[in-house]
Amino acid sequence: MGTKTKGYILGIVAAATYGMNPLFALPLYGEGMTADSVLFFRYLFAIPILGIMIMARGRSFKVSVRDLSTLIVMGLVVAFSSLGLFLSYTYMDAGIASTILFVYPIMVAVIMAVMFHERLSLMTIACIALVLGGIAMLYKGSGDVTLSFTGTVLVIASALSYAIYIVAVNRTGLRNVATLTVTFYVLLFGLSLFAVRLWLSGEVQYPSSEHWYLWGCVLALAIFPTAISFLCTTAAIQYIGSTPTAILGALEPVTAVFFGVMVFGEVLTIRDIAGLTMIIVAVSGVVASPAIHPRLTRMRKLFPRLRKKHTN
């Protein structure tokens, strides 16, 4: 199997596993668990998994005091992003929520233009208009049914938080810290948000002891959308580059929609399908744009050891 073939396969696996969030989260919701409880256990289980990965790959847990303060903020930002997405599942179909979340690359482009004066290409502007049109198509369904305003705001806030995280990681000292180490501390500090929210509410929901498979769902959330997706993304970037890997990310909402329809009986209208397609095409266009390629390429700096093994 060639290097590029391996890269594309890994990129597909990375996107598909991240799209499994609804597959394992919705059964837990069905048993009465809140988004805070689900995310608390997801982060709690993922942290030791990442810790083992760091030790197995010879990475260091050491970070500077300055980077540590940045990691605390980034941990809360990522936790807020996770919370917004998982809360949105209670207001709208998971597939649609996951697709709207996929607008974050466009938000990254806008943030870079506003905050760092990077020029927006005509293609990016056209794609922004297309994605807004796609969201409008999803918002107004058949008949008098409209997409939940609260759910839409939550998932947009989730996408914006993740976009801020991506920009911050590439514009701070964290760009020189190994990704495994960054992710470990981001999850560690992000866990505090859910711990505090659960402490304030005074109520933590555990998976029912009568349904042992629900603990499997919690563990699967930590393994598939977190650990496996992360590792495959890292490897795919090294094999085929950042841009193709990012384009393959369009499979994330496709996977979420597939499980939503096939497993949870979510119904998609022709209008929904058109809106989903518009968003995926628009975001893929921005990611594939030459203007964004240098920014995505900078993600390679997060993988110094792997880069040494990659030769042309």
Side-chain angles (χ1 to χ4, degrees):
M1 184 182 297
T3 299
K4 286 190 175 182
T5 301
K6 290 180 182 179
Y8 284 114
I9 292 176
L10 288 168
I12 291 171
V13 172
T17 50
Y18 191 80
M20 290 181 178
N21 270 314
L23 178 63
F24 302 118
L26 295 185
L28 296 171
Y29 285 1
E31 290 296 317
M33 291 186 68
T34 63
D36 287 295
S37 293
V38 171
L39 286 167
F40 175 80
F41 286 110
R42 176 191 178 184
Y43 275 48
L44 186 66
F45 282 27
I47 289 170
I49 294 174
L50 287 169
I52 292 172
M53 290 179 184
I54 290 174
M55 291 185 289
R57 303 184 70 172
R59 303 292 174 125
S60 174
F61 288 94
K62 294 182 179 180
V63 293
S64 67
V65 175
R66 182 176 181 179
D67 288 340
L68 190 64
S69 61
T70 305
L71 284 167
I72 293 174
V73 176
M74 290 300 97
L76 295 175
V77 169
V78 170
F80 181 79
S81 177
S82 297
L83 182 61
L85 177 63
F86 274 58
L87 285 175
S88 72
Y89 290 162
T90 63
Y91 292 94
M92 64 175 70
D93 289 346
I96 291 178
S98 297
T99 303
I100 296 177
L101 176 72
F102 193 58
V103 304
Y104 71 82
I106 286 182
M107 292 182 174
V108 169
V110 173
I111 291 173
M112 295 301 294
V114 174
M115 301 298 297
F116 301 100
H117 309 292
E118 288 196 2
R119 180 175 170 272
L120 282 178
S121 67
L122 291 177
M123 181 177 184
T124 300
I125 295 173
C127 288
I128 291 174
L130 186 62
V131 79
L132 291 176
I135 294 175
M137 293 282 283
L138 293 176
Y139 188 77
K140 182 63 177 179
S142 58
D144 296 325
V145 180
T146 58
L147 205 61
S148 166
F149 176 77
T150 301
T152 303
V153 170
L154 284 169
V155 75
I156 290 294
S158 175
L160 179 58
S161 299
Y162 190 58
I164 292 173
Y165 168 74
I166 291 175
V167 173
V169 165
N170 284 278
R171 286 284 176 169
T172 64
L174 296 182
R175 65 181 179 273
N176 298 316
V177 182
T179 305
L180 272 173
T181 305
V182 170
T183 306
F184 174 82
Y185 283 109
V186 162
L187 293 181
L188 182 63
F189 294 126
L191 180 67
S192 64
L193 174 64
F194 311 119
V196 170
R197 285 175 57 88
L198 290 173
W199 177 70
L200 291 175
S201 66
E203 186 178 7
V204 180
Q205 289 84 25
Y206 299 88
S208 172
S209 58
E210 298 179 358
H211 302 100
W212 60 267
Y213 63 88
L214 293 177
W215 281 107
C217 288
V218 174
L219 183 59
L221 276 173
I223 294 174
F224 292 101
T226 308
I228 291 180
S229 181
F230 165 74
L231 281 179
C232 289
T233 299
T234 302
I237 288 174
Q238 299 307 313
Y239 281 127
I240 60 176
S242 300
T243 302
T245 301
I247 293 173
L248 289 173
L251 293 175
E252 294 172 11
V254 173
T255 303
V257 169
F258 173 81
F259 285 123
V261 173
M262 301 302 294
V263 178
F264 302 108
E266 296 177 356
V267 179
L268 292 179
T269 65
I270 294 178
R271 188 186 185 100
D272 290 335
I273 294 173
L276 295 172
T277 302
M278 288 171 68
I279 291 174
I280 293 173
V281 169
V283 176
S284 298
V286 170
V287 173
S289 168
I292 203 171
H293 184 272
R295 182 159 58 254
L296 292 172
T297 302
R298 285 201 295 271
M299 291 295 289
R300 289 179 180 269
K301 295 180 180 179
L302 297 174
F303 317 111
R305 175 165 296 188
L306 287 177
R307 186 175 55 187
K308 292 178 182 178
K309 297 179 180 179
H310 183 73
T311 57
N312 293 322

